[in-house]
Amino acid sequence: MHDPTETAGLRDYPLARRGVLMTGLISGFTLATQRVEAQAIHTDTGGLDAGEAQIPTNDGKLPAYFARPARKGTFPVVLVNEEIFGVHEYIKDVCRRLAKAGFFAVATEYYARIGDLSKMTDPQQIVRDVISKTPDGQYMADLDSTAAWALDNGGSATRVGVLGFCRGGRQTWLYAAHSPHLKAAVALYGPLGGTPSPIQPLTALDVADKIKCPLLGLYGGQDAGIPVDQVRQAEAKARAAHEIVEIVIYPDALHGFHADYRPSYRQADAEDAWNRALAWFRRFGVTPAG
């Protein structure tokens, strides 16, 4: 069944997709917006090492995009969890923004085993045929593999965080409950509910009291797919278990308010959310040197 959370803030127009997964990442934009729009933010690669990589996993390699400062050093790692639409220009730009702030960011195409997102044009099809068929256990293992790759390529083993958007925000909650090595997590409008399945047995709400690191949740008050009451329920559950969690609700924001290529983008809320995310990482030890 299609989860409306995944496509909130979009328009039902044909998607523009290019690229090949498994061997490479999507080039350009991949969503049905009012048109294939330019991003509000363009981050260059000046002073960065950035590009595509292949992440070794337990059954082959997955394509990924990374960005880190070009100078010598060991850098704090931020694992970036994509939306459902692939590691396209917006996700790559997020990695470069993080690298400009001193982090080693890497975004893996976690759905590449199941389907080639570059050839899919219907968001509901993506959810039905790819997202719903991706086991959470495999996704968690792939995040572990991505972290291991980052540590082998200049990342700090003691300064690892995770950041996710939309469906990737859900995966951020799950990974915060899975990994004992995380210092901090930030979930932007990550769905908390849903219908469990044998390969996706737990919702984010189910694991809210099991997170192993401080988690910041950034949500839209007008998000039709994620009720504010449900967000507060997750917050209360985590705090009752003495976990560190902070929830920020942007009263007028829709789902996808940080995605600067979507009609739902809200600049002021997006900028505030970004600053809070960076501050959260630094507060809890995912801290760039200098």
Side-chain angles (χ1 to χ4, degrees), residues 184-208:
V186 179
L188 283 92
Y189 33 88
L192 293 160
T195 303
S197 72
I199 63 170
Q200 298 177 359
L202 299 173
T203 67
L205 182 58
D206 290 333
V207 303

Side-chain angles (χ1 to χ4, degrees), residues 180-226:
H181 305 299
L182 288 176
K183 289 290 189 179
V186 179
L188 283 92
Y189 33 88
L192 293 160
T195 303
S197 72
I199 63 170
Q200 298 177 359
L202 299 173
T203 67
L205 182 58
D206 290 333
V207 303
D209 58 346
K210 299 176 179 65
I211 57 174
K212 296 178 173 66
C213 69
L215 185 144
L216 172 66
L218 303 164
Y219 286 85
Q222 303 303 312
D223 190 332
I226 308 176

Side-chain angles (χ1 to χ4, degrees), residues 17-175:
R17 293 181 176 273
R18 292 182 290 276
V20 179
L21 294 182
M22 292 308 294
T23 57
L25 295 171
I26 294 169
S27 174
F29 296 94
T30 61
L31 283 218
T33 58
Q34 191 169 11
R35 57 184 180 274
V36 179
E37 299 187 34
Q39 290 169 259
I41 301 173
H42 298 273
T43 306
D44 62 35
T45 57
L48 305 179
D49 288 330
E52 294 192 14
Q54 294 286 318
I55 306 298
T57 72
N58 57 15
D59 64 349
K61 294 182 178 181
L62 294 176
Y65 183 85
F66 75 93
R68 65 190 173 208
R71 65 183 183 274
K72 291 183 179 180
T74 302
F75 305 103
V77 173
V78 177
L79 308 174
V80 179
N81 285 328
E82 63 189 302
E83 308 158 312
I84 67 169
F85 305 104
V87 180
H88 53 61
E89 293 304 322
Y90 162 65
I91 298 298
K92 294 175 186 177
D93 200 275
V94 165
C95 289
R96 293 192 294 271
R97 296 175 211 177
L98 285 165
K100 292 279 188 177
F103 299 91
F104 182 166
V106 56
T108 297
E109 182 46 80
Y110 294 106
Y111 300 109
R113 287 186 192 83
I114 308 297
D116 185 346
L117 296 180
S118 69
K119 296 179 180 178
M120 295 186 180
T121 59
D122 180 2
Q124 295 189 28
Q125 178 196 14
I126 294 171
V127 174
R128 182 186 67 242
D129 295 345
V130 177
I131 306 304
S132 67
K133 294 181 179 179
T134 301
D136 284 336
Q138 182 67 70
Y139 198 111
M140 298 299 104
D142 290 342
L143 273 163
D144 288 341
S145 295
T146 300
W149 177 88
L151 302 189
D152 287 340
N153 287 273
S156 169
T158 60
R159 294 177 290 160
V160 180
V162 62
L163 167 70
F165 304 89
C166 190
R167 181 71 177 195
R170 172 193 182 267
Q171 308 298 54
T172 293
W173 279 92
L174 295 187
Y175 197 57

